[in-house]
Every structure is written in C-alpha cells, then in structure tokens.
Amino acid sequence: MVTNNKDSIAEKPLTSVMEDYLEAIFDLDQEKKFIRVKDIAKRMGVKMPTVSSMLKTLNNRGLVNYEKYAYVELTKNGEDVGKEIRRRHEVLLKFLTEILEIGFDIADVEACKMEHTLSSATLDRLTGFMEFIQTCPRAGESWLKYFKEYLVDGHRPEKCQARSKTFSHEFESQVQT
Amino acid sequence: MVTNNKDSIAEKPLTSVMEDYLEAIFDLDQEKKFIRVKDIAKRMGVKMPTVSSMLKTLNNRGLVNYEKYAYVELTKNGEDVGKEIRRRHEVLLKFLTEILEIGFDIADVEACKMEHTLSSATLDRLTGFMEFIQTCPRAGESWLKYFKEYLVDGHRPEKCQARSKTFSHEFESQVQT
DNA sequence: AAATATTATTTGAGGCTACTAACATAGGGG
DNA sequence: CCCCTATGTTAGTAGCCTCAAATAATATTT
C-alpha cells in the first residue's frame, strides 16, 4: 500500500507484446534521433491508435517517458528490458541463420516470436553452445561443416552408422513431481 | 457464400491457445479411455468454464466433436493439428534437454511456448540437426561431449585455442582464424 | 498569420481468453 | 425413487490488444 495508484510501476510481469514494443523502441532509438508514434506503428505492423494506448500503458508502468504529442523516450528500466529482448533476438537469429541455416527473413520472424518464451538460463546455454561451436575450430567448425554436408546429402550420411529410432516417448520415466 | 454460418470450419488460422488445447486433448486421448472437461481443465491449468467455451469454439471450427455433457472427441482435422503440435513439442523438448541440458521441467514449459512459433521448415532443420548429432558419433557425440566439458569448465576450454573475448559483438570480423 | 498537410489522440467497438458465481445435469447410495 | 455429490454449463465480467472513425494538435507551405 505504500506503492501504486492503480498500475504505476506495478509488479505484474510484462506481456510479450509489451516487450516487443520496448524492443522496437530500443531499436529505433539507435537508428533515429527522435522516435514518433508513426515509426513505432510501422515497425510493429499496427495502427497508430494501438501505439498510443500502449504508450499510455508503458508510461504507467514506468517503462517510457511519454507525454502527448511529444517524442518517445525509454526510462532506464524500459531500456534494460528493450536491450535484453534485443539480445535474445540476436542470439536466436544467429542460431537460426548460422547453425540451422534458415533464411534471414524467416529466421528474423521466428526469432521475434521465440525471444519472449525463453528463460535467461536457456538463452545462456544457447549462447554457450554457439560460442563453443565458434571458438573451438577443431571440435566446432569442422563439425559444423560435417553438418552442412549432412544436410546436403539428403540426411543420409553413409559415413556414420545410423542408430536411428524415433526417439519420442521415453521421457515419461522422470516426469512430474 | 457457399461456406460458413459464422465461423464453422473457418479459414482463419488457429490461435496458439487453440493449438494448446488440441495438443492437450490429443495427449489425453492416448492416456485415457474417455476425456472429460475436468481433465482438460487440469492439464491446461484453467477452470472448467474456460474449457467449456473453448470446446464450443473448437466444435464450430470442426476440430472436435462435442456435445454438452458428453465426452470429448477429436475430429480427423483436430487430431492432425494435435499430433503436429505434439511432434513439435517433442523435438524442442529433446533439443533443450539433450543438447542444451536444460532441466526437464523448465524445458517442458519452454517447449510448450515455442511449439507454436516455429515453422515446419525450421522444425525440420532442428530435427536434422539433432539427428546428425546422434547418428554420427565421431563428429557428433564426441563433439557433444566436448561441449559438456566446455560447459563444466566455466566456458574456458583450454584445449581449444581460446581466441575468446566476450563473444557478443565481434562475429562481424571472424569466421576464419 | 492562414491554409493545408501531417501526425497523434479519443472514442467506441470487437475478438480472445480467462475468471467467479449461480444454475443444471448425471449417476450412485439410501 | 429421491437426494446428494461429481461434473458441466450459463451468465456476466474483466484484461489485453487491436481496429476504424472522428477529432485534435502540430508542422509546413503559402
């Protein structure tokens, strides 16, 4: 009861949509001198009224400083969130494009959807994974090259003995507490 | 004009929540003889009225056959969706637990969120990736073992010539040593 | 400055998913 | 059979995110 009139600086977790807006604003912040509602709308693929109302929400939450008809500014807090989401986006994008070799456009869209769902722990693991691949040429890069060949050879690596099986249903052993 | 009274068998894409319900029902279908609203509610972590109304929606969309107070049944269509989502879930879960070594509980939750966002194309690539790792011991498993060590050694693999640096902002230059 | 063009907000609505509270049905013991 | 408990449905409400239409403020041009 010390805190909040309604929802200012509320404790509730951000929605993924809010995170997307913060990421977009963070990006725009580095591209342009001033950010306008119109820019955000374009970036997010929504109409301006939607941005207006979201800015109101983000303002109440202490994530942006925004007053009607003015330029948009992130608070420290909002910037941290935006930057973090951006970081996730980049890790995922990198994984999709450089490891899985998905085309950039598709990868970008998918990274955008995934970036909200991963815990930092997982993100860190993924980062470590890629780091490993790229800093350990012997075990990494050459291995990645094998993988590329494997993709090309129609998934039939004669060089390897296949011990396939279809994997799925055998996690059940250790399931829920 | 030939089609639809409102939303029956509509062309609109399913929401991820709908997909989740279909996956849950698909699973329950394989575990129990009859599926009740209560079961779905428990599985999904929601209350029964929410399930009721979702079943109405899914019914209108031709994804389940359901009449008040009766047992729940997937249509062919609904089953296909459920199975596909399940498949995605498993691929992702496998990747998270077996490659990245995330704990099962966390991995399960994250897989559940990611399963809606990936295109089949990406899923296929990921599948291929894991398949490769696990069918090619020489380039795969032993490599995976290195990765595990790498994780344990606090990200400092002396075996590899560490041309480390903090990784993040300098991929731009490298690729070849 | 006045007229015009651009940008932004308000208002009112709708879709989706969730909830609580109140009511309804089904099925088994008395 | 009737009542009780399990289970399920309806009704009403709420939060989020979105939009179109109407309105308002700002910026630019003349």
Side-chain angles (χ1 to χ4, degrees), chain A residues 94 99-101 110 113-114 117-119 122 125 127-129 131-132 134 136 139 141 143 146-147 150 160-161 163 167-168, chain B residues 90 94 100-101 110 113-114 117-119 122 125 128-129 131-132 134-136 139 141 143 147 150 160 163 167 171 175:
Chain A
K94 193 170 168 61
I99 311 296
L100 297 188
E101 302 231 301
E110 300 196 1
K113 287 183 284 183
M114 282 193 282
T117 73
L118 292 179
S119 68
T122 302
R125 274 293 161 80
T127 303
F129 181 73
E131 197 178 312
F132 172 73
Q134 276 160 336
C136 294
E141 279 186 304
W143 170 88
Y146 281 129
F147 175 56
Y150 177 81
C160 314
Q161 74 267 34
R163 70 125 165 68
F167 75 88
S168 30
Chain B
E90 275 163 14
K94 194 173 167 62
L100 297 188
E101 301 230 303
E110 299 196 1
K113 287 183 284 183
M114 281 193 283
T117 72
L118 291 179
S119 67
T122 301
R125 273 295 161 81
F129 181 73
E131 199 178 307
F132 172 74
Q134 276 159 335
T135 56
C136 294
E141 277 186 310
W143 170 88
F147 175 54
Y150 177 81
C160 311
R163 62 131 163 56
F167 167 72
F171 315 113
V175 163

Short mmCIF file of all heavy atoms in Angstrom, two decimals, chain A residues 94 99-101 110 113-114 117-119 122 125 127-129 131-132 134 136 139 141 143 146-147 150 160-161 163 167-168, chain B residues 90 94 100-101 110 113-114 117-119 122 125 128-129 131-132 134-136 139 141 143 147 150 160 163 167 171 175:
data_model
loop_
_atom_site.label_atom_id
_atom_site.label_comp_id
_atom_site.label_asym_id
_atom_site.label_seq_id
_atom_site.Cartn_x
_atom_site.Cartn_y
_atom_site.Cartn_z
N LYS A 94 20.94 -15.61 -34.67
CA LYS A 94 22.24 -16.16 -35.01
C LYS A 94 22.18 -17.70 -35.08
O LYS A 94 22.70 -18.31 -36.00
CB LYS A 94 23.25 -15.73 -33.96
CG LYS A 94 24.69 -15.97 -34.33
CD LYS A 94 25.61 -15.29 -33.33
CE LYS A 94 27.04 -15.76 -33.50
NZ LYS A 94 27.59 -15.44 -34.82
N ILE A 99 23.60 -21.62 -37.57
CA ILE A 99 23.68 -23.04 -37.29
C ILE A 99 22.69 -23.83 -38.13
O ILE A 99 23.05 -24.76 -38.84
CB ILE A 99 23.42 -23.34 -35.79
CG1 ILE A 99 24.26 -22.44 -34.89
CG2 ILE A 99 23.67 -24.81 -35.50
CD1 ILE A 99 25.74 -22.65 -35.01
N LEU A 100 21.45 -23.41 -38.06
CA LEU A 100 20.44 -24.16 -38.81
C LEU A 100 20.34 -23.71 -40.27
O LEU A 100 19.67 -24.35 -41.07
CB LEU A 100 19.08 -24.04 -38.13
CG LEU A 100 18.95 -24.63 -36.72
CD1 LEU A 100 17.48 -24.61 -36.29
CD2 LEU A 100 19.49 -26.05 -36.65
N GLU A 101 20.95 -22.59 -40.56
CA GLU A 101 20.95 -22.08 -41.93
C GLU A 101 19.57 -21.78 -42.49
O GLU A 101 19.27 -22.09 -43.65
CB GLU A 101 21.68 -23.04 -42.87
CG GLU A 101 23.11 -23.30 -42.47
CD GLU A 101 24.06 -23.11 -43.63
OE1 GLU A 101 23.87 -23.81 -44.63
OE2 GLU A 101 24.97 -22.26 -43.52
N GLU A 110 10.85 -15.64 -36.82
CA GLU A 110 10.74 -16.68 -35.80
C GLU A 110 11.48 -16.30 -34.51
O GLU A 110 11.02 -16.58 -33.41
CB GLU A 110 11.22 -18.02 -36.34
CG GLU A 110 10.38 -18.44 -37.53
CD GLU A 110 10.50 -19.89 -37.90
OE1 GLU A 110 11.23 -20.64 -37.22
OE2 GLU A 110 9.85 -20.29 -38.88
N LYS A 113 9.36 -14.23 -32.40
CA LYS A 113 8.32 -14.89 -31.63
C LYS A 113 8.91 -15.68 -30.47
O LYS A 113 8.33 -15.79 -29.40
CB LYS A 113 7.49 -15.79 -32.55
CG LYS A 113 6.56 -14.96 -33.44
CD LYS A 113 5.67 -15.83 -34.31
CE LYS A 113 6.44 -16.43 -35.47
NZ LYS A 113 5.59 -17.22 -36.38
N MET A 114 10.10 -16.19 -30.69
CA MET A 114 10.71 -17.02 -29.64
C MET A 114 11.33 -16.21 -28.51
O MET A 114 11.46 -16.70 -27.40
CB MET A 114 11.80 -17.91 -30.24
CG MET A 114 11.24 -19.11 -30.97
SD MET A 114 12.56 -20.29 -31.30
CE MET A 114 13.34 -19.51 -32.69
N THR A 117 9.86 -16.28 -25.03
CA THR A 117 9.50 -17.53 -24.37
C THR A 117 10.66 -18.20 -23.67
O THR A 117 10.45 -19.10 -22.87
CB THR A 117 8.91 -18.51 -25.40
OG1 THR A 117 9.97 -18.99 -26.22
CG2 THR A 117 7.87 -17.82 -26.26
N LEU A 118 11.86 -17.77 -23.98
CA LEU A 118 12.99 -18.45 -23.39
C LEU A 118 13.46 -17.82 -22.08
O LEU A 118 13.54 -16.60 -21.98
CB LEU A 118 14.16 -18.47 -24.38
CG LEU A 118 13.94 -19.33 -25.60
CD1 LEU A 118 15.16 -19.23 -26.52
CD2 LEU A 118 13.70 -20.77 -25.21
N SER A 119 13.75 -18.63 -21.13
CA SER A 119 14.31 -18.13 -19.88
C SER A 119 15.74 -17.67 -20.13
O SER A 119 16.37 -18.08 -21.10
CB SER A 119 14.31 -19.24 -18.84
OG SER A 119 15.23 -20.24 -19.21
N THR A 122 18.12 -20.63 -20.36
CA THR A 122 18.19 -21.32 -21.65
C THR A 122 18.96 -20.50 -22.68
O THR A 122 19.77 -21.02 -23.43
CB THR A 122 16.77 -21.60 -22.17
OG1 THR A 122 16.08 -22.39 -21.21
CG2 THR A 122 16.81 -22.32 -23.50
N ARG A 125 22.53 -20.91 -22.16
CA ARG A 125 23.01 -22.19 -22.67
C ARG A 125 23.19 -22.15 -24.18
O ARG A 125 24.16 -22.63 -24.73
CB ARG A 125 22.00 -23.31 -22.33
CG ARG A 125 22.19 -23.91 -20.97
CD ARG A 125 23.50 -24.68 -20.89
NE ARG A 125 23.91 -24.88 -19.51
CZ ARG A 125 23.41 -25.82 -18.72
NH1 ARG A 125 22.50 -26.65 -19.17
NH2 ARG A 125 23.82 -25.93 -17.49
N THR A 127 23.65 -19.57 -25.98
CA THR A 127 24.80 -18.71 -26.27
C THR A 127 26.09 -19.51 -26.12
O THR A 127 26.96 -19.48 -26.99
CB THR A 127 24.84 -17.52 -25.30
OG1 THR A 127 23.62 -16.81 -25.39
CG2 THR A 127 25.99 -16.60 -25.64
N GLY A 128 26.15 -20.24 -25.01
CA GLY A 128 27.35 -21.04 -24.77
C GLY A 128 27.57 -22.06 -25.86
O GLY A 128 28.70 -22.30 -26.30
N PHE A 129 26.50 -22.59 -26.31
CA PHE A 129 26.55 -23.59 -27.36
C PHE A 129 27.17 -23.03 -28.64
O PHE A 129 28.10 -23.59 -29.23
CB PHE A 129 25.13 -24.07 -27.63
CG PHE A 129 25.01 -25.13 -28.68
CD1 PHE A 129 25.42 -26.43 -28.43
CD2 PHE A 129 24.43 -24.83 -29.90
CE1 PHE A 129 25.27 -27.42 -29.39
CE2 PHE A 129 24.29 -25.81 -30.86
CZ PHE A 129 24.71 -27.10 -30.61
N GLU A 131 28.86 -20.27 -28.89
CA GLU A 131 30.21 -19.81 -28.55
C GLU A 131 31.19 -20.97 -28.73
O GLU A 131 32.25 -20.84 -29.34
CB GLU A 131 30.18 -19.36 -27.10
CG GLU A 131 31.31 -18.49 -26.63
CD GLU A 131 31.09 -18.09 -25.18
OE1 GLU A 131 29.98 -17.64 -24.84
OE2 GLU A 131 32.04 -18.23 -24.39
N PHE A 132 30.78 -22.08 -28.19
CA PHE A 132 31.61 -23.28 -28.28
C PHE A 132 31.89 -23.65 -29.73
O PHE A 132 33.02 -23.85 -30.14
CB PHE A 132 30.90 -24.44 -27.59
CG PHE A 132 31.57 -25.76 -27.78
CD1 PHE A 132 32.76 -26.03 -27.11
CD2 PHE A 132 31.02 -26.71 -28.61
CE1 PHE A 132 33.40 -27.25 -27.28
CE2 PHE A 132 31.67 -27.93 -28.79
CZ PHE A 132 32.84 -28.20 -28.12
N GLN A 134 31.90 -21.83 -32.21
CA GLN A 134 32.71 -20.88 -32.95
C GLN A 134 34.08 -20.57 -32.37
O GLN A 134 34.89 -19.92 -33.02
CB GLN A 134 31.91 -19.60 -33.18
CG GLN A 134 31.04 -19.81 -34.42
CD GLN A 134 29.88 -18.87 -34.49
OE1 GLN A 134 29.45 -18.35 -33.47
NE2 GLN A 134 29.37 -18.66 -35.68
N CYS A 136 35.91 -23.14 -30.93
CA CYS A 136 36.65 -24.38 -30.95
C CYS A 136 36.66 -25.00 -32.34
O CYS A 136 35.93 -25.94 -32.60
CB CYS A 136 36.06 -25.38 -29.96
SG CYS A 136 36.23 -24.84 -28.26
N ALA A 139 36.77 -29.02 -32.78
CA ALA A 139 35.55 -29.74 -32.46
C ALA A 139 34.34 -29.01 -33.01
O ALA A 139 33.28 -29.58 -33.16
CB ALA A 139 35.42 -29.89 -30.96
N GLU A 141 33.97 -25.89 -35.73
CA GLU A 141 33.72 -25.52 -37.11
C GLU A 141 33.76 -26.68 -38.09
O GLU A 141 32.94 -26.79 -38.95
CB GLU A 141 34.71 -24.42 -37.53
CG GLU A 141 34.25 -23.06 -37.07
CD GLU A 141 35.13 -21.97 -37.62
OE1 GLU A 141 36.35 -22.01 -37.39
OE2 GLU A 141 34.61 -21.09 -38.29
N TRP A 143 33.16 -29.59 -37.41
CA TRP A 143 31.97 -30.36 -37.13
C TRP A 143 30.76 -29.74 -37.83
O TRP A 143 29.94 -30.42 -38.43
CB TRP A 143 31.76 -30.40 -35.61
CG TRP A 143 30.46 -30.97 -35.24
CD1 TRP A 143 30.17 -32.27 -35.03
CD2 TRP A 143 29.24 -30.25 -35.07
NE1 TRP A 143 28.85 -32.42 -34.75
CE2 TRP A 143 28.25 -31.20 -34.76
CE3 TRP A 143 28.90 -28.90 -35.16
CZ2 TRP A 143 26.93 -30.84 -34.53
CZ3 TRP A 143 27.59 -28.54 -34.93
CH2 TRP A 143 26.62 -29.51 -34.62
N TYR A 146 30.61 -30.73 -41.28
CA TYR A 146 30.02 -32.04 -41.48
C TYR A 146 28.50 -31.95 -41.52
O TYR A 146 27.84 -32.62 -42.29
CB TYR A 146 30.41 -33.00 -40.33
CG TYR A 146 31.79 -33.57 -40.46
CD1 TYR A 146 32.69 -33.51 -39.40
CD2 TYR A 146 32.19 -34.21 -41.64
CE1 TYR A 146 33.96 -34.04 -39.50
CE2 TYR A 146 33.46 -34.74 -41.75
CZ TYR A 146 34.35 -34.65 -40.68
OH TYR A 146 35.59 -35.17 -40.79
N PHE A 147 28.02 -31.12 -40.63
CA PHE A 147 26.57 -30.96 -40.56
C PHE A 147 26.01 -30.41 -41.86
O PHE A 147 25.01 -30.86 -42.37
CB PHE A 147 26.18 -30.07 -39.38
CG PHE A 147 24.71 -29.77 -39.31
CD1 PHE A 147 23.77 -30.80 -39.28
CD2 PHE A 147 24.24 -28.46 -39.28
CE1 PHE A 147 22.40 -30.54 -39.22
CE2 PHE A 147 22.88 -28.19 -39.22
CZ PHE A 147 21.97 -29.22 -39.19
N TYR A 150 25.90 -33.05 -44.30
CA TYR A 150 24.81 -33.94 -43.91
C TYR A 150 23.48 -33.42 -44.45
O TYR A 150 22.66 -34.17 -44.98
CB TYR A 150 24.78 -34.03 -42.39
CG TYR A 150 23.68 -34.86 -41.79
CD1 TYR A 150 23.79 -36.25 -41.72
CD2 TYR A 150 22.55 -34.25 -41.26
CE1 TYR A 150 22.80 -37.00 -41.13
CE2 TYR A 150 21.55 -35.00 -40.68
CZ TYR A 150 21.67 -36.37 -40.61
OH TYR A 150 20.69 -37.11 -40.03
N CYS A 160 28.42 -42.38 -41.31
CA CYS A 160 28.09 -42.67 -39.94
C CYS A 160 27.23 -43.92 -39.87
O CYS A 160 26.39 -44.13 -40.71
CB CYS A 160 27.28 -41.52 -39.34
SG CYS A 160 27.96 -39.91 -39.72
N GLN A 161 27.44 -44.70 -38.85
CA GLN A 161 26.49 -45.78 -38.68
C GLN A 161 25.24 -45.19 -38.06
O GLN A 161 25.29 -44.51 -37.06
CB GLN A 161 27.06 -46.90 -37.79
CG GLN A 161 27.14 -46.59 -36.31
CD GLN A 161 28.51 -46.04 -35.96
OE1 GLN A 161 29.13 -45.33 -36.74
NE2 GLN A 161 28.99 -46.37 -34.76
N ARG A 163 22.11 -45.15 -35.96
CA ARG A 163 21.38 -45.85 -34.91
C ARG A 163 20.13 -45.02 -34.60
O ARG A 163 19.93 -44.45 -33.56
CB ARG A 163 22.25 -46.06 -33.66
CG ARG A 163 22.59 -44.82 -32.86
CD ARG A 163 22.16 -45.01 -31.40
NE ARG A 163 22.74 -44.05 -30.49
CZ ARG A 163 22.41 -42.78 -30.51
NH1 ARG A 163 21.60 -42.34 -31.42
NH2 ARG A 163 22.94 -41.98 -29.61
N PHE A 167 12.99 -41.82 -31.27
CA PHE A 167 13.07 -41.05 -30.02
C PHE A 167 11.83 -40.83 -29.14
O PHE A 167 11.77 -41.38 -28.08
CB PHE A 167 13.82 -39.73 -30.19
CG PHE A 167 13.17 -38.57 -30.87
CD1 PHE A 167 12.41 -37.66 -30.17
CD2 PHE A 167 13.41 -38.34 -32.21
CE1 PHE A 167 11.86 -36.55 -30.79
CE2 PHE A 167 12.89 -37.24 -32.83
CZ PHE A 167 12.11 -36.35 -32.12
N SER A 168 10.88 -40.16 -29.55
CA SER A 168 9.85 -39.59 -28.67
C SER A 168 9.57 -40.16 -27.29
O SER A 168 10.03 -39.67 -26.28
CB SER A 168 8.53 -39.48 -29.41
OG SER A 168 8.45 -40.48 -30.37
N GLU B 90 7.91 -32.25 -28.85
CA GLU B 90 8.92 -33.26 -28.55
C GLU B 90 10.28 -32.93 -29.14
O GLU B 90 11.32 -33.17 -28.51
CB GLU B 90 8.44 -34.63 -29.03
CG GLU B 90 7.57 -35.27 -27.96
CD GLU B 90 6.73 -36.41 -28.48
OE1 GLU B 90 6.99 -36.90 -29.60
OE2 GLU B 90 5.80 -36.81 -27.76
N LYS B 94 13.39 -32.27 -26.74
CA LYS B 94 14.59 -33.08 -26.92
C LYS B 94 15.82 -32.20 -27.09
O LYS B 94 16.87 -32.45 -26.50
CB LYS B 94 14.41 -33.97 -28.14
CG LYS B 94 15.41 -35.09 -28.27
CD LYS B 94 15.00 -36.00 -29.42
CE LYS B 94 16.12 -36.95 -29.79
NZ LYS B 94 16.47 -37.83 -28.68
N LEU B 100 21.06 -28.94 -25.01
CA LEU B 100 21.41 -27.83 -24.12
C LEU B 100 21.43 -28.24 -22.65
O LEU B 100 21.86 -27.47 -21.79
CB LEU B 100 20.44 -26.67 -24.31
CG LEU B 100 20.42 -25.99 -25.68
CD1 LEU B 100 19.57 -24.74 -25.64
CD2 LEU B 100 21.83 -25.65 -26.15
N GLU B 101 20.88 -29.42 -22.36
CA GLU B 101 20.88 -29.93 -20.98
C GLU B 101 20.14 -29.05 -19.99
O GLU B 101 20.59 -28.84 -18.86
CB GLU B 101 22.31 -30.14 -20.50
CG GLU B 101 23.08 -31.10 -21.35
CD GLU B 101 23.75 -32.18 -20.52
OE1 GLU B 101 24.53 -31.84 -19.64
OE2 GLU B 101 23.47 -33.37 -20.77
N GLU B 110 9.13 -24.41 -21.61
CA GLU B 110 9.61 -23.57 -22.71
C GLU B 110 9.26 -24.16 -24.07
O GLU B 110 8.94 -23.44 -25.00
CB GLU B 110 11.11 -23.34 -22.57
CG GLU B 110 11.41 -22.61 -21.26
CD GLU B 110 12.79 -21.99 -21.21
OE1 GLU B 110 13.55 -22.09 -22.17
OE2 GLU B 110 13.10 -21.41 -20.15
N LYS B 113 5.87 -23.24 -25.04
CA LYS B 113 5.66 -21.90 -25.57
C LYS B 113 6.23 -21.75 -26.97
O LYS B 113 5.69 -21.05 -27.80
CB LYS B 113 6.28 -20.87 -24.61
CG LYS B 113 5.43 -20.73 -23.34
CD LYS B 113 5.98 -19.66 -22.41
CE LYS B 113 7.21 -20.14 -21.66
NZ LYS B 113 7.73 -19.16 -20.70
N MET B 114 7.30 -22.46 -27.21
CA MET B 114 7.94 -22.32 -28.53
C MET B 114 7.24 -23.09 -29.64
O MET B 114 7.35 -22.76 -30.80
CB MET B 114 9.39 -22.80 -28.45
CG MET B 114 10.32 -21.78 -27.85
SD MET B 114 12.03 -22.25 -28.15
CE MET B 114 12.22 -23.55 -26.94
N THR B 117 5.49 -21.30 -32.45
CA THR B 117 6.11 -20.20 -33.18
C THR B 117 7.03 -20.65 -34.30
O THR B 117 7.39 -19.86 -35.14
CB THR B 117 6.95 -19.33 -32.22
OG1 THR B 117 8.12 -20.05 -31.84
CG2 THR B 117 6.16 -19.00 -30.97
N LEU B 118 7.38 -21.91 -34.31
CA LEU B 118 8.33 -22.35 -35.32
C LEU B 118 7.65 -22.87 -36.58
O LEU B 118 6.67 -23.60 -36.50
CB LEU B 118 9.22 -23.44 -34.75
CG LEU B 118 10.20 -22.99 -33.68
CD1 LEU B 118 10.99 -24.19 -33.19
CD2 LEU B 118 11.12 -21.94 -34.23
N SER B 119 8.18 -22.50 -37.70
CA SER B 119 7.68 -23.03 -38.96
C SER B 119 8.09 -24.49 -39.08
O SER B 119 9.03 -24.93 -38.43
CB SER B 119 8.27 -22.25 -40.13
OG SER B 119 9.66 -22.51 -40.20
N THR B 122 11.76 -24.85 -40.10
CA THR B 122 12.74 -24.73 -39.04
C THR B 122 12.77 -25.98 -38.16
O THR B 122 13.83 -26.48 -37.80
CB THR B 122 12.43 -23.50 -38.15
OG1 THR B 122 12.44 -22.34 -38.97
CG2 THR B 122 13.45 -23.36 -37.05
N ARG B 125 14.72 -28.58 -39.80
CA ARG B 125 16.16 -28.34 -39.69
C ARG B 125 16.67 -28.75 -38.32
O ARG B 125 17.71 -29.38 -38.19
CB ARG B 125 16.46 -26.84 -39.89
CG ARG B 125 16.66 -26.45 -41.31
CD ARG B 125 17.89 -27.10 -41.91
NE ARG B 125 17.83 -27.09 -43.36
CZ ARG B 125 18.16 -26.05 -44.11
NH1 ARG B 125 18.56 -24.95 -43.55
NH2 ARG B 125 18.06 -26.12 -45.41
N GLY B 128 16.84 -32.39 -38.09
CA GLY B 128 18.01 -32.87 -38.82
C GLY B 128 19.29 -32.66 -38.02
O GLY B 128 20.17 -33.52 -38.00
N PHE B 129 19.34 -31.55 -37.38
CA PHE B 129 20.50 -31.20 -36.58
C PHE B 129 20.73 -32.21 -35.47
O PHE B 129 21.83 -32.74 -35.28
CB PHE B 129 20.27 -29.81 -36.00
CG PHE B 129 21.39 -29.28 -35.15
CD1 PHE B 129 22.57 -28.87 -35.74
CD2 PHE B 129 21.23 -29.17 -33.79
CE1 PHE B 129 23.60 -28.37 -34.96
CE2 PHE B 129 22.26 -28.66 -33.00
CZ PHE B 129 23.44 -28.27 -33.60
N GLU B 131 19.40 -35.17 -35.25
CA GLU B 131 19.58 -36.48 -35.87
C GLU B 131 21.06 -36.66 -36.21
O GLU B 131 21.67 -37.67 -35.92
CB GLU B 131 18.73 -36.49 -37.16
CG GLU B 131 18.40 -37.83 -37.73
CD GLU B 131 17.52 -37.63 -38.97
OE1 GLU B 131 16.48 -36.93 -38.85
OE2 GLU B 131 17.88 -38.13 -40.05
N PHE B 132 21.59 -35.62 -36.76
CA PHE B 132 23.01 -35.64 -37.12
C PHE B 132 23.89 -35.88 -35.90
O PHE B 132 24.75 -36.76 -35.90
CB PHE B 132 23.38 -34.32 -37.78
CG PHE B 132 24.85 -34.16 -38.02
CD1 PHE B 132 25.48 -34.88 -39.04
CD2 PHE B 132 25.61 -33.30 -37.24
CE1 PHE B 132 26.84 -34.73 -39.26
CE2 PHE B 132 26.96 -33.15 -37.46
CZ PHE B 132 27.58 -33.87 -38.46
N GLN B 134 23.19 -37.26 -33.25
CA GLN B 134 23.05 -38.57 -32.62
C GLN B 134 23.29 -39.77 -33.51
O GLN B 134 23.33 -40.90 -33.03
CB GLN B 134 21.68 -38.66 -31.94
CG GLN B 134 21.79 -38.02 -30.57
CD GLN B 134 20.47 -37.59 -30.01
OE1 GLN B 134 19.55 -37.33 -30.75
NE2 GLN B 134 20.41 -37.54 -28.70
N THR B 135 23.44 -39.53 -34.78
CA THR B 135 23.73 -40.68 -35.65
C THR B 135 25.17 -40.65 -36.13
O THR B 135 25.61 -41.56 -36.79
CB THR B 135 22.80 -40.70 -36.88
OG1 THR B 135 22.93 -39.46 -37.56
CG2 THR B 135 21.37 -40.93 -36.46
N CYS B 136 25.86 -39.60 -35.79
CA CYS B 136 27.25 -39.52 -36.20
C CYS B 136 28.18 -39.40 -35.01
O CYS B 136 28.68 -38.31 -34.71
CB CYS B 136 27.45 -38.31 -37.13
SG CYS B 136 26.59 -38.47 -38.67
N ALA B 139 31.67 -37.35 -35.36
CA ALA B 139 31.55 -35.91 -35.43
C ALA B 139 30.51 -35.40 -34.46
O ALA B 139 30.48 -34.24 -34.10
CB ALA B 139 31.16 -35.50 -36.85
N GLU B 141 28.52 -37.28 -31.25
CA GLU B 141 28.51 -37.47 -29.81
C GLU B 141 29.78 -37.03 -29.11
O GLU B 141 29.74 -36.42 -28.07
CB GLU B 141 28.21 -38.94 -29.48
CG GLU B 141 26.70 -39.21 -29.51
CD GLU B 141 26.40 -40.61 -29.05
OE1 GLU B 141 27.02 -41.57 -29.56
OE2 GLU B 141 25.54 -40.76 -28.17
N TRP B 143 31.70 -34.90 -30.01
CA TRP B 143 31.68 -33.45 -30.06
C TRP B 143 30.80 -32.90 -28.96
O TRP B 143 31.11 -31.96 -28.26
CB TRP B 143 31.18 -33.00 -31.44
CG TRP B 143 30.90 -31.55 -31.51
CD1 TRP B 143 31.79 -30.57 -31.83
CD2 TRP B 143 29.68 -30.90 -31.20
NE1 TRP B 143 31.19 -29.35 -31.74
CE2 TRP B 143 29.89 -29.53 -31.36
CE3 TRP B 143 28.43 -31.37 -30.82
CZ2 TRP B 143 28.90 -28.60 -31.16
CZ3 TRP B 143 27.43 -30.45 -30.60
CH2 TRP B 143 27.67 -29.07 -30.77
N PHE B 147 31.38 -30.41 -25.72
CA PHE B 147 30.52 -29.29 -25.34
C PHE B 147 30.17 -29.36 -23.86
O PHE B 147 30.22 -28.35 -23.15
CB PHE B 147 29.25 -29.28 -26.18
CG PHE B 147 28.26 -28.22 -25.78
CD1 PHE B 147 28.64 -26.88 -25.69
CD2 PHE B 147 26.95 -28.55 -25.47
CE1 PHE B 147 27.74 -25.90 -25.32
CE2 PHE B 147 26.04 -27.58 -25.09
CZ PHE B 147 26.44 -26.25 -25.02
N TYR B 150 32.97 -28.26 -21.90
CA TYR B 150 33.08 -26.82 -22.08
C TYR B 150 32.16 -26.09 -21.12
O TYR B 150 32.54 -25.10 -20.48
CB TYR B 150 32.72 -26.50 -23.53
CG TYR B 150 32.70 -25.05 -23.90
CD1 TYR B 150 33.87 -24.38 -24.21
CD2 TYR B 150 31.49 -24.37 -24.00
CE1 TYR B 150 33.85 -23.06 -24.60
CE2 TYR B 150 31.47 -23.05 -24.39
CZ TYR B 150 32.64 -22.39 -24.68
OH TYR B 150 32.61 -21.08 -25.07
N CYS B 160 41.05 -25.73 -26.61
CA CYS B 160 40.87 -25.00 -27.84
C CYS B 160 41.71 -23.74 -27.70
O CYS B 160 41.80 -23.17 -26.63
CB CYS B 160 39.42 -24.58 -27.99
SG CYS B 160 38.26 -25.92 -27.72
N ARG B 163 40.48 -17.94 -28.48
CA ARG B 163 40.57 -16.59 -29.00
C ARG B 163 39.22 -16.00 -28.64
O ARG B 163 38.46 -15.50 -29.41
CB ARG B 163 40.83 -16.58 -30.50
CG ARG B 163 39.79 -17.20 -31.36
CD ARG B 163 39.45 -16.27 -32.49
NE ARG B 163 38.76 -16.91 -33.59
CZ ARG B 163 37.65 -17.55 -33.46
NH1 ARG B 163 37.13 -17.77 -32.28
NH2 ARG B 163 37.06 -18.03 -34.53
N PHE B 167 32.84 -12.66 -27.00
CA PHE B 167 31.90 -13.23 -27.96
C PHE B 167 30.98 -12.19 -28.58
O PHE B 167 31.22 -11.74 -29.66
CB PHE B 167 31.10 -14.34 -27.25
CG PHE B 167 29.88 -14.83 -27.95
CD1 PHE B 167 29.99 -15.61 -29.09
CD2 PHE B 167 28.62 -14.56 -27.43
CE1 PHE B 167 28.85 -16.11 -29.70
CE2 PHE B 167 27.49 -15.06 -28.06
CZ PHE B 167 27.62 -15.82 -29.19
N PHE B 171 31.43 -10.93 -34.12
CA PHE B 171 31.35 -12.02 -35.09
C PHE B 171 31.67 -11.41 -36.44
O PHE B 171 32.14 -12.04 -37.35
CB PHE B 171 29.95 -12.58 -35.20
CG PHE B 171 29.31 -12.80 -33.88
CD1 PHE B 171 28.23 -12.06 -33.50
CD2 PHE B 171 29.83 -13.75 -33.02
CE1 PHE B 171 27.65 -12.24 -32.27
CE2 PHE B 171 29.26 -13.93 -31.80
CZ PHE B 171 28.17 -13.19 -31.42
N VAL B 175 35.25 -15.76 -38.42
CA VAL B 175 34.80 -16.94 -39.18
C VAL B 175 36.03 -17.73 -39.57
O VAL B 175 36.09 -18.92 -39.40
CB VAL B 175 34.00 -16.62 -40.45
CG1 VAL B 175 33.95 -17.83 -41.37
CG2 VAL B 175 32.55 -16.25 -40.07
#
